[in-house]
Amino acid sequence: MTSDRPGNDPLPPRVVRALRCSVCGRPVGLTDRTLRCESGHSFDLARQGYVNLLHARIPAGTADTAPMVEARAAFLSSGAYAPLENELSRVVSGTAGLIVDAGAGPGHYLSRVLDAAPEAAGLALDVSAIALRRAARAHPRLGAAVWNLWEPWPVGDGVASVVLDVFSPRNAAEFHRVLEPGGRLVVAAPLPGHLAELGDLVLSVDERKEERLETALGDHFARVSRADVVHTAPFTAQQVHDVVAMGPAGFHLDRDDRRSRLLAAEGRDVTLAVGVSVWRRKDA
């Protein structure tokens, strides 16, 4: 890995240049461990290296909790989703600009993608400060900012070469705005059959998800390619627990006896089924 941080800068310079003040929208600069705009609005970096640009608390059940983040980090580090990581890295390899990961969580996918794009820098956006504690330290060319993806992003116009969206909310208008002309959006979304062997321990995949994806993005983007990543492999009992606990079902482990069912789960074959699609920004 090559560093994009001279000296002891806690954020890569390209990330600082891409960020905007979340109060007034002006560019920010980094002095010591504080981001500050020309209007005097300032945001102190947390000791882990991320910056929180939010102005209000997030409602309960919105951001990943500490147990969910721990489960996600453990599961992804186990290599169970390596085929998906490899496809994302293949698609993004060669990128030399800024990669914005919308809903980056602990930064695992963005870190892998940056390894495949040694000239790129990465910005991890997520509503969970707990997740970004890990993301901020996941890669030397990665910076992390807490933000609600459904709100206008504190990111400049046309500053990103790639927007990465892996199992995350899709704000098509903001994807389009922050991408440079001709920029690419890379979306990873579950296909029918994803984790199907786990039954009702995980949320089922909408059979019309592909149609809804086209509806959500079609006004701003044109799809240029798609690859389906389908892989079945044995999961250990710990992997079964973690893949359930890290997702939306992690908010509901105390319902329907799910927690005790997970504790009793044994290893089994589980299918990874994810569509990775690449979309080109539509320009006027």
Side-chain angles (χ1 to χ4, degrees):
M1 299 179 187
T2 59
S3 177
D4 194 52
R5 305 189 193 189
N8 295 315
D9 285 352
L11 286 177
R14 279 185 284 178
V15 170
V16 175
R17 290 195 294 270
L19 289 173
R20 297 293 182 266
C21 175
S22 59
V23 177
C24 67
R26 292 187 176 184
V28 294
L30 180 65
T31 302
D32 296 326
R33 298 183 62 84
T34 299
L35 285 177
R36 193 183 311 274
C37 73
E38 294 178 354
S39 299
H41 304 120
S42 61
F43 308 88
D44 293 333
L45 272 63
R47 61 182 177 82
Q48 295 90 350
Y50 70 90
V51 61
N52 191 335
L53 298 175
L54 286 172
H55 313 133
R57 296 180 63 86
I58 292 297
T62 301
D64 285 354
T65 63
M68 293 169 70
V69 172
E70 291 294 329
R72 185 179 304 276
F75 177 78
L76 293 177
S77 66
S78 76
Y81 276 12
L84 172 58
E85 297 166 21
N86 293 339
E87 178 59 20
L88 293 172
S89 296
R90 183 193 69 80
V91 169
V92 179
S93 63
T95 300
L98 180 70
I99 302 170
V100 178
D101 190 348
H108 181 87
Y109 295 113
L110 182 54
S111 176
R112 295 297 182 272
V113 163
L114 288 172
D115 282 341
E119 300 302 317
L123 169 60
L125 295 177
D126 201 281
V127 76
S128 172
I130 295 172
L132 291 188
R133 291 173 188 171
R134 289 180 175 270
R137 297 178 173 182
H139 198 282
R141 286 182 275 118
L142 187 159
V146 181
W147 191 251
N148 181 352
L149 296 176
W150 290 118
E151 299 292 332
W153 296 0
V155 178
D157 295 349
V159 298
S161 297
V162 172
V163 169
L164 187 66
D165 182 282
V166 183
F167 307 134
S168 295
R170 299 180 191 100
N171 188 335
E174 286 300 279
F175 290 169
H176 185 274
R177 183 184 65 79
V178 305
L179 278 168
E180 64 189 12
R184 293 179 298 159
L185 168 65
V186 180
V187 177
L191 300 171
H194 182 59
L195 306 180
E197 295 86 351
L198 301 183
D200 67 350
L201 286 173
V202 295
L203 300 183
S204 60
V205 178
D206 185 350
E207 295 287 340
R208 299 179 60 193
K209 195 173 188 69
E210 189 65 23
E211 178 184 337
R212 292 192 295 108
L213 183 62
E214 185 73 41
T215 300
L217 299 177
D219 287 345
H220 297 282
F221 294 90
R223 178 155 43 192
V224 296
S225 69
R226 170 178 156 174
D228 291 349
V229 180
V230 180
H231 179 75
T232 300
F235 276 24
T236 65
Q238 187 63 50
Q239 286 173 318
V240 171
H241 171 273
D242 290 341
V243 77
V244 174
M246 77 182 197
F251 289 115
H252 312 295
L253 289 183
D254 293 318
R255 299 181 186 176
D256 303 323
D257 201 32
R258 289 187 177 188
R259 191 176 297 278
S260 60
R261 288 161 59 197
L262 267 182
L263 290 174
E266 298 180 359
R268 65 190 75 181
D269 285 352
V270 178
T271 299
L272 163 70
V274 180
V276 177
S277 54
V278 179
W279 304 71
R280 185 73 64 181
R281 180 187 189 270
K282 290 181 178 178
D283 300 322

